[in-house]
Amino acid sequence: ELVLELVREIGQERQPVHVGLGAGYSAMLVAKHLASRIRSDESCPGLVLHALSAGGFLPDKPQRSPIMYFNYFDDVLPRVNYVALFSPTIVPDSEYQRIQTSPGVKTAFDRASEIDVVVTSFAWVGDEHGMLGQYLGQLSEAGQLGPQAIQAMREAGWIGDVQFQPYSPDGPIRDGCPVRAVTLFELSDLVRIAGSEGKHVVLLARPCGQCGQLKTAALKPLLTQPSLRLWTHLIMDVDTAAGVLRKPPAAI
């Protein structure tokens, strides 16, 4: 309902309205219900949906890839166009700039500035179902990533990630992550967008979609650290809100 409200508000000034969808279970649910909500709504402004990342890290969970969400909108009445992002999910740092200029990728990056509303979630390092953590674990089990790499991230304060980009309580972890996800926006870009007039970033702070575990610890830096204030609208459940407000126990 919030995303639709923002779409209608922007649509009064210009159309189509551009919505960027992140990867993950929460964003998938938003896309699914948004499509259901506007299916027969002829008054809804025209939409252009952008995939914020190339996909999810996990080949057995393709439904969490933004490109897959586009299928929900096949039969809606409002006119919907798409900007997909076709690239490897991750690339070496040395290859990142070349990937950005390759066919199937360049158009997505060139049009990223058109996005009016970003919809994304985040993960907590302590949740075993976070996609970045699962992927790093798979690399480690396969012998493609030494345990010292993950340990170095933890020592850097790794507490969560947004769009597969890790952060600590003090801000983004720029050099500690051994993988580089292909995503339209860096954390600093999202902070900039959130501070731009007429732009919106909707951050989804729901419990883990698989185990129901709260991600309060990873949410707090996104509330308190200016370099991580990457949202304009925050959606959370009652338990998460209570966890944020709960004071830590007094030291003995």
Side-chain angles (χ1 to χ4, degrees), residues 118 135 221 229:
V118 171
Y135 185 75
R229 188 58 183 264

Side-chain angles (χ1 to χ4, degrees), residues 37-60:
R37 179 67 176 77
I38 68 172
R39 179 154 284 113
S40 301
D41 189 350
E42 294 181 340
S43 67
C44 180
L47 294 173
V48 178
L49 301 180
H50 297 246
L52 295 184
S53 60
F57 281 107
L58 307 176
D60 61 333

Side-chain angles (χ1 to χ4, degrees), residues 3 19-24 26-28 30 52-53 117-123 161-165 183 185 187 190 200-206 215 222 230-231 233-235:
V3 173
V19 178
L21 297 170
S26 296
M28 179 190 74
V30 170
L52 295 184
S53 60
V117 181
V118 171
V119 180
T120 187
S121 60
F122 65 98
D161 69 89
V162 175
Q163 287 299 296
F164 314 124
Q165 298 173 77
T183 180
F185 300 125
L187 297 183
L190 292 175
H200 308 279
V201 181
V202 178
L203 181 66
L204 310 171
R206 69 188 302 276
K215 299 182 284 186
L222 301 173
L230 47 74
W231 51 273
H233 298 76
L234 180 63
I235 303 296

Side-chain angles (χ1 to χ4, degrees), residues 160-243:
D161 69 89
V162 175
Q163 287 299 296
F164 314 124
Q165 298 173 77
Y167 59 88
S168 75
D170 299 320
I173 299 176
R174 296 182 174 84
D175 302 319
C177 188
V179 298
R180 177 69 178 266
V182 179
T183 180
L184 295 186
F185 300 125
E186 305 288 332
L187 297 183
S188 58
D189 294 326
L190 292 175
V191 173
R192 174 182 52 78
I193 292 169
S196 300
E197 185 176 355
K199 301 284 188 178
H200 308 279
V201 181
V202 178
L203 181 66
L204 310 171
R206 69 188 302 276
C208 173
Q210 291 183 253
C211 66
Q213 188 167 210
L214 300 180
K215 299 182 284 186
T216 309
L219 175 59
K220 287 184 178 180
L222 301 173
L223 298 172
T224 60
Q225 175 55 248
S227 64
L228 293 172
R229 188 58 183 264
L230 47 74
W231 51 273
T232 57
H233 298 76
L234 180 63
I235 303 296
M236 69 176 77
D237 59 289
V238 172
D239 289 339
T240 296

Side-chain angles (χ1 to χ4, degrees), residues 47-97:
L47 294 173
V48 178
L49 301 180
H50 297 246
L52 295 184
S53 60
F57 281 107
L58 307 176
D60 61 333
K61 296 181 175 64
Q63 72 273 22
R64 299 186 185 181
S65 167
I67 295 175
M68 297 295 289
Y69 311 161
F70 294 169
N71 291 320
Y72 296 135
F73 295 83
D74 270 352
D75 60 348
V76 302
L77 286 182
R79 180 174 177 81
V80 180
N81 291 314
Y82 309 98
V83 182
L85 177 57
F86 295 108
S87 80
T89 303
I90 63 166
V91 297
D93 273 335
S94 59
E95 292 289 305
Y96 196 72
Q97 288 189 338

Side-chain angles (χ1 to χ4, degrees), residues 106-184:
K106 185 177 186 302
T107 298
F109 276 89
D110 286 347
R111 298 192 62 184
S113 62
E114 300 176 15
I115 296 175
D116 301 300
V117 181
V118 171
V119 180
T120 187
S121 60
F122 65 98
W124 172 46
V125 68
D127 180 7
E128 64 179 354
H129 300 116
M131 286 194 285
L132 176 59
Q134 287 188 73
Y135 185 75
L136 293 177
Q138 289 178 1
L139 289 181
S140 181
E141 291 175 3
Q144 299 175 6
L145 183 67
Q148 68 279 3
I150 298 179
Q151 182 60 31
M153 287 183 63
R154 294 187 182 276
E155 291 176 357
W158 178 29
I159 195 170
D161 69 89
V162 175
Q163 287 299 296
F164 314 124
Q165 298 173 77
Y167 59 88
S168 75
D170 299 320
I173 299 176
R174 296 182 174 84
D175 302 319
C177 188
V179 298
R180 177 69 178 266
V182 179
T183 180
L184 295 186

